[in-house]
Amino acid sequence: MRIRLLDTEEAAPMHLLLLADPSEMLINDYLANGQCYVLENETSEILGTFVLQAQNTTKIELVNVAVSEAYQGHGLGRMLVEAAIETARNQSYQQLLVCTGNSSIGQFALYQKCGFRVESIERDYFIRHYPDVIIENGIQCRDRICLTQNLSES
């Protein structure tokens, strides 16, 4: 398997990106300003993706991480998050930000296992920014939890 930057003429794997964010409009916005990476298997099938978007000269955000449903639960999400951390570090960013919903229990645990710490909670973010109610794990997604990792630390 390999992770590579998506070529500018290639279409982003929208079917995967939509697994992590139900708003195609918001995805297109951050794709326009971000870097999309894909995880491919030996036959060049795209199994996962992540998108990084610079916030300023020292801080970059991991705005989307997704793994094909058929391949979830096999450590590929962690592989993508670790690749995003290494990519941000190699690009000389000092801090990596990632935000998730209060109902995204698995993702929240994964980010903490990868060294992220809770920075803030934005109450009712998903109520204000998404037209449809989002239910995940039987919980309404309302609040956005933001986590950060200082990239100068091991």
Side-chain angles (χ1 to χ4, degrees), residues 12-137:
M14 190 60 72
H15 66 289
L16 293 178
L17 295 165
L18 285 166
L19 293 174
D21 187 337
S23 173
E24 193 167 337
M25 183 183 77
L26 290 176
I27 291 170
N28 285 326
D29 283 348
Y30 55 69
L31 283 173
N33 300 308
Q35 308 163 344
C36 184
Y37 293 81
V38 293
L39 169 65
E40 296 177 323
N41 64 12
E42 300 76 24
T43 62
S44 298
E45 177 187 7
I46 296 175
L47 308 180
T49 186
F50 68 87
V51 179
L52 290 171
Q53 182 179 33
Q55 301 300 299
N56 56 45
T57 59
T58 62
K59 188 178 200 176
I60 192 165
E61 182 176 356
L62 177 56
V63 291
N64 193 307
V65 179
V67 173
S68 173
E69 290 175 305
Y71 294 92
Q72 291 178 5
H74 295 38
L76 300 183
R78 185 179 187 113
M79 181 187 301
L80 289 167
V81 172
E82 289 174 350
I85 293 166
E86 193 60 30
T87 300
R89 187 176 280 128
N90 289 341
Q91 293 178 6
S92 300
Y93 286 96
Q94 295 172 14
Q95 190 174 57
L96 180 59
L97 168 71
V98 65
C99 298
T100 192
N102 63 285
S103 58
S104 300
I105 297 166
Q107 294 88 329
F108 182 61
L110 171 63
Y111 297 139
Q112 290 181 90
K113 288 176 187 177
C114 290
F116 288 86
R117 304 267 322 263
V118 174
E119 179 178 274
S120 64
I121 298 173
E122 189 173 344
R123 295 176 62 85
D124 293 328
Y125 175 89
F126 292 95
I127 304 298
R128 290 191 314 273
H129 291 90
Y130 290 80
D132 298 322
V133 172
I134 301 168
I135 304 290
E136 185 179 25
N137 298 307

Side-chain angles (χ1 to χ4, degrees), residues 129-150:
H129 291 90
Y130 290 80
D132 298 322
V133 172
I134 301 168
I135 304 290
E136 185 179 25
N137 298 307
I139 303 167
Q140 183 177 357
C141 186
R142 300 178 59 95
D143 305 325
R144 181 168 85 154
I145 302 169
C146 295
L147 304 96
T148 58
Q149 183 173 140
N150 290 326

